[in-house]
Amino acid sequence: MVPSSSSRSRQLAGLFAKAAPAVISVGLLLLAWELCARYSGIKPTILPAPSRIFAQAMLNREALVDNAIPTIRATLFGFACSLSAAFALSMLVDFFPPLRRALFPVFVISQTLPLVAIAPLVVLWFGFGLMPKVLLVALVTFFPMLVALVQGYEATEAEIGQVLRAMGAGRWRVFVLARLPSALPYFFAGLRISITYAVVGAIFAEYAGAAKGLGIYMLNAKNNFRPDLVLAAVGVSAALTLVLFGLAVLLQHLAMPWEQADRQGQGKGP
Amino acid sequence: MSRLELRHVCKAFGGLEVLADISLRVGAGEFVSILGPSGAGKSTLFRLLTGAQHGDGEMFFDGTPLDNHGRHFAFMPQRDALMPWRRILDNVTLGLEVQGFRRKAARARVAPLFAEFGLAGFERHFPAQLSGGMRQRAALLRTVVQERDMLLLDEPFGALDGLTRTAMQRWLEQMWRHHRWTALLITHDVREAVFLSDRIYVLSARPARIAREIKVPLPRPRGPGGDAARQASALEAEILDIILNPGLSPQPPEGYDHD
Ligand SMILES: Nc1ncnc2c1ncn2[C@@H]1O[C@H](COP(=O)(O)OP(=O)(O)O)[C@@H](O)[C@H]1O
Ligand SMILES: [Mg+2]
């Protein structure tokens, strides 16, 4: 059933009610910071107040936006690459389980590489363009997505598989009809985590060297003794992460309409 | 003429012997139950029939050996195994979809059955929005619309509360009288077996053998009360005795001479 508009608005109200504690706690934190910066006597070149950061962000908004765009591009492009790779490989692993034992150790090692060491090398190899950012974003997001997908396939209810096979479905049919949809909750859980890693990965890559981007913007601001601008860029990246996270949640709602049904669990009739 | 016939079917998992020696037959239009305690190996027997696992012994359908690709059975597992992401309508047409039906044709075919299965008006609901009894009926509908030669029902009402289970048993008995499916039902509920079946195979505990074959000569429709109900109670008591006192040398199943 399509949720009626009244239930939609009720959902929205519920969302605000759920968001309220977060808003209040972040607000209190900013307030404490503001008071501390104003009355403790610490110089604004060391600890700028949130109000100052905000004012400076407004003054420099063109530069911030200008630098945010390459970061967004690297994040999304890198994430798209890692997602396609993870999806392709997850299917391969699902159809040929021995591959899992062969490949997973390699991926686990890839996750232990310190970004601090890898980022400059990747920039050295691939230059200041989009490529090294895409690679780093892919590196940090690929494995969590792969694990999420593979785990999701395995969470398929055994009986559903048995029913399908008794109906005459082959492996491919079982994969498409049962294993893939079973993996969706896992996929979205992975997506929500990875999308935050992705932004961090992109900024790290830029920090190691880039023509433009939030990472290089932060580096320059730091070198110019402008912690207010560093923090303004941090604010932008946090906002970016939140938006991407929100998009992932929205996407999950759209892709899994039965989840709401699960939560309501109306239980009707005998 | 029996449709399904098993001869000396055995199955072991490593060292664990689960099915010791199962021989049984199911005739056309007959409702047969396999009654046994939990863990006896009942579900395993169905996994052999649907080809999910392989065992020893011989299995025939209509006199020809059952190969794993023979699609004679419509199988309903112990848990309803409805897909939570599909609406009831799409869950029910699943088997037809796998058989290659177009979505529209499949829907047209199941639509008239929703009322009979007490699911009218719930076509667009997700499984999570249905009660346990309705989910089981949806799973049963998904099973019967495949129009296979024979139904395999694995404890279809095992997860339901007592009242709902009794209601569902009565409903199934009535449905069966209309449709006369050839059916093999697994259950650990003596009353259910007696109420629904033409014949019952009682299994021993693991490793499972056929401890007894019992005919159920009760007239249909099998309502509550009356002479038939007293007869049923006597039969239930007899079966319970076989299960709970296995020491009292079980008779070999009727109609079987072990060559
Ligand atoms: N794949 C398997 N590997 C090992 N043991 C199994 C397997 N499947 C079932 N068993 C064992 O076989 C026995 C019978 O299982 P099952 O057929 O599900 O019993 P029932 O359906 O009668 O309750 C159980 O003891 C179970 O642990
Ligand atoms: Mg079982």
Side-chain angles (χ1 to χ4, degrees):
Chain A
M1 271 199 312
V2 183
S4 64
S5 68
S6 80
S7 91
R8 266 277 152 75
S9 67
R10 221 181 313 125
Q11 265 179 8
L12 223 63
L15 211 66
F16 279 126
K18 261 189 256 171
V23 171
I24 290 170
S25 70
V26 170
L28 284 177
L29 201 72
L30 286 178
L31 187 68
W33 179 358
E34 180 80 34
L35 293 175
C36 184
R38 277 201 191 181
Y39 299 111
S40 67
I42 301 174
K43 276 186 288 184
T45 46
I46 305 288
L47 180 70
S51 57
R52 182 188 162 85
I53 295 169
F54 187 74
Q56 287 302 314
M58 281 296 123
L59 277 179
N60 293 279
R61 63 176 177 275
E62 260 174 49
L64 280 170
V65 168
D66 203 31
N67 281 284
I69 285 166
T71 307
I72 295 171
R73 196 184 303 142
T75 303
L76 292 182
F77 201 57
F79 200 63
C81 286
S82 96
L83 216 60
S84 334
F87 185 57
L89 218 78
S90 71
M91 275 174 60
L92 219 62
V93 166
D94 197 53
F95 279 84
F96 308 103
L99 264 185
R100 179 179 181 158
R101 255 161 289 143
L103 293 178
F104 267 43
V106 180
F107 298 138
V108 171
I109 291 170
S110 82
Q111 293 304 290
T112 66
L113 301 176
L115 271 190
V116 205
I118 291 298
L121 282 181
V122 176
V123 171
L124 184 72
W125 294 330
F126 297 99
F128 283 8
L130 188 61
M131 185 65 163
K133 284 95 195 168
V134 167
L135 278 179
L136 271 192
V137 170
L139 180 75
V140 294
T141 57
F142 166 75
F143 188 63
M145 288 316 300
L146 179 68
V147 170
L149 283 167
V150 170
Q151 229 177 10
Y153 301 147
E154 275 165 14
T156 309
E157 209 183 311
E159 267 107 349
I160 290 182
Q162 203 191 341
V163 164
L164 275 170
R165 273 187 295 273
M167 286 169 173
R171 282 191 78 182
W172 175 250
R173 262 309 193 38
V174 173
F175 180 81
V176 173
L177 289 173
R179 296 180 79 79
L180 205 53
S182 295
L184 277 179
Y186 292 77
F187 170 79
F188 281 109
L191 192 69
R192 287 198 304 264
I193 297 173
S194 303
I195 202 88
T196 62
Y197 292 177
V199 179
V200 175
I203 288 176
F204 226 108
E206 289 163 354
Y207 207 82
K212 255 187 200 172
L214 284 177
I216 199 73
Y217 185 87
M218 288 175 197
L219 186 65
N220 289 336
K222 189 208 76 171
N223 289 341
N224 294 330
F225 303 104
R226 291 294 303 273
D228 49 348
L229 289 183
V230 174
L231 289 169
V234 168
V236 171
S237 85
L240 175 60
T241 308
L242 279 177
V243 167
L244 290 176
F245 189 89
L247 278 178
V249 172
L250 186 71
L251 210 63
Q252 177 166 16
H253 269 265
L254 294 178
M256 301 175 58
W258 65 91
E259 244 196 359
Q260 276 99 302
D262 259 352
R263 239 171 275 131
Q264 289 162 8
Q266 293 171 3
K268 286 186 186 169
Chain B
M1 173 67 194
S2 60
R3 298 219 80 175
L4 178 70
E5 181 170 0
L6 306 187
R7 286 191 205 142
H8 309 300
V9 168
C10 309
K11 175 70 182 172
F13 296 105
L16 183 73
E17 201 183 5
V18 175
L19 299 176
D21 179 8
I22 304 290
S23 297
L24 58 82
R25 52 177 87 202
V26 181
E30 198 180 17
F31 197 115
V32 175
S33 290
I34 297 178
L35 178 66
S38 275
K42 305 184 295 298
S43 296
T44 304
L45 186 65
F46 273 11
R47 282 193 286 271
L48 298 185
L49 287 174
T50 58
Q53 287 170 359
H54 303 276
D56 301 315
E58 294 172 300
M59 307 193 285
F60 298 91
F61 201 90
D62 287 343
T64 51
L66 195 64
D67 62 27
N68 299 315
H69 309 288
R71 300 289 167 207
H72 300 291
F73 306 113
F75 166 62
M76 176 172 171
Q78 206 163 340
R79 283 186 286 169
D80 56 52
L82 295 173
M83 295 175 165
W85 55 87
R86 282 183 168 232
R87 297 174 189 279
I88 293 302
L89 183 58
D90 299 321
N91 261 295
V92 165
T93 55
L94 184 68
L96 300 176
E97 219 174 284
V98 171
Q99 283 175 31
F101 274 72
R102 299 207 163 268
R103 172 178 283 207
K104 219 173 155 190
R107 289 185 167 185
R109 189 154 148 187
V110 301
L113 292 166
F114 269 80
E116 198 181 357
F117 278 70
L119 294 166
F122 289 86
E123 291 88 345
R124 309 289 304 159
H125 283 58
F126 286 110
Q129 294 171 303
L130 266 56
S131 66
M134 293 183 86
R135 291 173 60 113
Q136 293 300 325
R137 287 202 295 269
L140 192 69
L141 180 52
R142 176 187 64 189
T143 312
V144 301
V145 293
Q146 298 173 48
E147 298 198 345
R148 292 287 163 91
D149 300 325
M150 185 171 170
L151 302 182
L152 301 180
L153 311 174
D154 190 349
E155 298 191 23
F157 311 133
L160 301 177
D161 64 273
L163 282 176
T164 310
R165 190 188 314 148
T166 306
M168 292 290 290
Q169 287 162 355
R170 289 190 186 169
W171 172 80
L172 180 60
E173 201 267 335
Q174 187 190 333
M175 291 292 287
W176 183 83
R177 273 188 277 120
H178 284 161
H179 296 273
R180 294 283 161 171
W181 301 301
T182 304
L184 187 57
L185 170 92
I186 281 177
T187 181
H188 56 227
D189 181 339
V190 177
R191 181 163 295 174
E192 177 171 297
V194 170
F195 185 73
L196 290 171
S197 314
D198 298 316
R199 234 155 18 91
I200 301 172
Y201 289 100
V202 181
L203 290 191
S204 68
R206 200 183 64 221
R209 302 165 196 283
I210 305 283
R212 189 85 68 94
E213 178 192 348
I214 291 173
K215 288 209 169 68
V216 185
L218 304 177
R220 295 180 190 260
R222 293 177 177 170
D227 233 18
R230 260 191 303 281
Q231 252 179 296
S233 300
L235 212 52
E236 286 165 22
E238 184 189 336
I239 294 171
L240 274 173
D241 225 34
I242 297 167
I243 295 174
L244 300 176
N245 304 311
L248 309 176
S249 62
Q251 297 168 5
E254 287 171 39
Y256 262 96
D257 30 28
H258 294 254
D259 46 334

